[in-house]
Amino acid sequence: MFWTRLIGEIAGTVPQAALALCLTASTVPAASSPYAPGSIAPRPDQATLDRALTKFYGQWKSVYLREGCGEGRVLVRTDGDGKPTYGGSAETTITVSEAHGYGMLATVMMADFDDDAHRLFDGMVRFFHDHPARSDPGLMAWNQVADCTDAGEDVRGTSSATDGDLDIAYAMLLAERRWGNDGTFHYGAEARHMLAAILAHEVGQPGNILLIGDWAKTGDGATYAATTRSSDFMQSHFAAFAERTGDRRWLDLRDAIYGVMATVGEKYSPRTGLMPDFLIGLPDQPKPAPSGFLEGDYDGAYSWNAARYPWRVGLDFLLTGDERAHKALRPLNAWARQTTEGRPERFADTYRLNGKPAPDAGHDQMAFISMLTVSAMIDSENQDWLDALWAAMESRPIAEEDYFGNTLKLMAMIAVTGHWARP
């Protein structure tokens, strides 16, 4: 269902004096949450939260969501702010499948606030169809460049990335729920095609290994066949996929991931609850990847990939109430509050799993602050921390961040304001 509330016209953000009052009034009870019992919301009232969300969504659309690369096509321009796209993509990158998934999630879940959402979503479906992965048309080629073609094989441009495909499939199911299947596209059939392709090409057997892309399963990429990425731990997606398809394999995958999280957490980060960017040794001996394994020196640390882990796992508690998510995130929330003394701007962008920041770590990055905001919603003991995170997130100007920080902020704001949907 969609947890939505009607709002009035879009206005400005909550005054700073009122916001400060919210943050210091510790005796005020936790705000009600539309999610699982025990979850909380920031203390500003719903109308205030919704105004902040719709204001930022409008800004994000104007910078990143573009029509182009053919008639009726819509894409998320990762270079829309004039800043480079990182993550190993091509030099002239205009988008990646991860960004496309975020854009499809945003447009369908913001449909109550955006009369143009359905048209934009369909334009993104067309762009998805234009860029199939080489392995299967049910998956999306990872990287598109300035001439609207797929990037070359030097960056695996025609291979898939698991996170983008999972988000696109979930968005298709949301669209089926929202708009039905009688329009231009049969969203349900699109989703089922994608889910079959994901199971065939992006899940490794035996052991229910969630691969990092279709390329990691065979050929030269087989080196990475025992590897997974913590930012892909989308257990709430898998629960929805199982419910909509009746395929038990999604629940088996969900259980396997929770098993990996428990093993790694108990052995490598019992105090902090941190997960590394990449994990190797699956299925039987999961452990953090070594330095330089795939992307850089901090592949085995909590860094720019793992930043999304608190959001992904937090969503599973919010949407399903799974206690395994609560157990995994509670120490992370407690450690984050303690290490920052309740000040989000002190959170570093790379930590060893023991909680020690990397020597060259930066701080006050929206990609990290926004994702922590979702995980803080799982327990009332985080109320003051949640309010501080929301204030830091809501007040950051869009011009101060890049595509990654701004888009993760939008994902978090949709969740935190109570508008993240289940199909």
Side-chain angles (χ1 to χ4, degrees), residues 186-218:
H186 192 295
Y187 305 115
E190 297 273 357
R192 287 190 291 274
H193 184 197
M194 290 198 73
L195 295 177
I198 291 168
L199 288 172
H201 299 282
E202 295 177 339
V203 178
Q205 298 295 347
N208 284 302
I209 302 169
L210 185 64
L211 302 171
I212 54 182
D214 59 357
W215 59 272
K217 194 170 184 178
T218 58

Side-chain angles (χ1 to χ4, degrees), residues 34 90 98 148 163 178 216 219 249 266 268 300 341-342 417:
E98 160 209 290
C148 298
D163 56 347
R178 179 83 198 186
R249 287 179 292 176
E266 290 167 6
Y268 298 97
E341 297 181 333
T417 58

Side-chain angles (χ1 to χ4, degrees), residues 351-412:
Y351 286 97
R352 304 295 185 186
L353 298 192
N354 64 7
K356 183 178 180 180
D360 54 350
H363 294 78
D364 198 22
Q365 299 284 353
M366 186 50 53
F368 291 80
I369 291 171
S370 61
M371 303 288 89
L372 290 171
T373 309
V374 179
S375 70
M377 297 175 70
I378 70 166
D379 198 299
S380 61
E381 67 185 13
N382 301 320
Q383 186 66 65
D384 290 339
W385 175 234
L386 172 60
D387 291 339
L389 288 162
W390 169 261
M393 180 170 64
E394 186 270 336
S395 63
R396 182 71 56 85
I398 194 168
E400 293 185 8
E401 295 287 336
D402 61 5
Y403 141 76
F404 195 61
N406 282 321
T407 305
L408 293 187
K409 173 180 173 178
L410 177 61
M411 295 293 100

Side-chain angles (χ1 to χ4, degrees), residues 166 169-170 173 191-192 195-196 198-199 234-255 316 320 324 422-423:
L166 290 169
Y170 191 85
L173 290 178
R192 287 190 291 274
L195 295 177
I198 291 168
L199 288 172
M234 306 181 198
Q235 286 93 313
S236 60
H237 282 24
F238 306 149
F241 297 160
E243 182 179 2
R244 294 293 292 120
T245 66
D247 193 330
R248 173 77 200 186
R249 287 179 292 176
W250 292 108
L251 298 181
D252 293 340
L253 178 61
R254 191 168 181 267
D255 290 343
D316 195 41
T320 74
R324 292 173 295 182
R422 292 180 64 182

Side-chain angles (χ1 to χ4, degrees), residues 307-346:
R308 291 168 284 186
Y309 167 81
W311 162 52
R312 297 295 195 183
V313 179
L315 280 173
D316 195 41
F317 179 78
L318 296 179
L319 298 179
T320 74
D322 197 305
E323 282 300 317
R324 292 173 295 182
H326 190 277
K327 182 179 180 181
L329 291 180
R330 189 172 185 185
L332 192 156
N333 287 325
W335 169 80
R337 295 196 316 263
Q338 180 184 37
T339 199
T340 62
E341 297 181 333
R343 296 175 60 179
E345 69 274 11
R346 292 183 173 180

Side-chain angles (χ1 to χ4, degrees), residues 12 23-24 27 32 48 76 81 93 100 102 131 157 160 190 199 225 240 254 258 268 281 344 354 375 394 401 407 414:
L23 294 179
T24 57
T27 58
S32 61
T48 301
V76 174
D81 51 19
T93 290
H100 208 71
Y102 295 150
H131 298 281
S160 73
E190 297 273 357
L199 288 172
R254 191 168 181 267
Y258 271 122
Y268 298 97
N354 64 7
S375 70
E394 186 270 336
E401 295 287 336
T407 305
I414 293 171

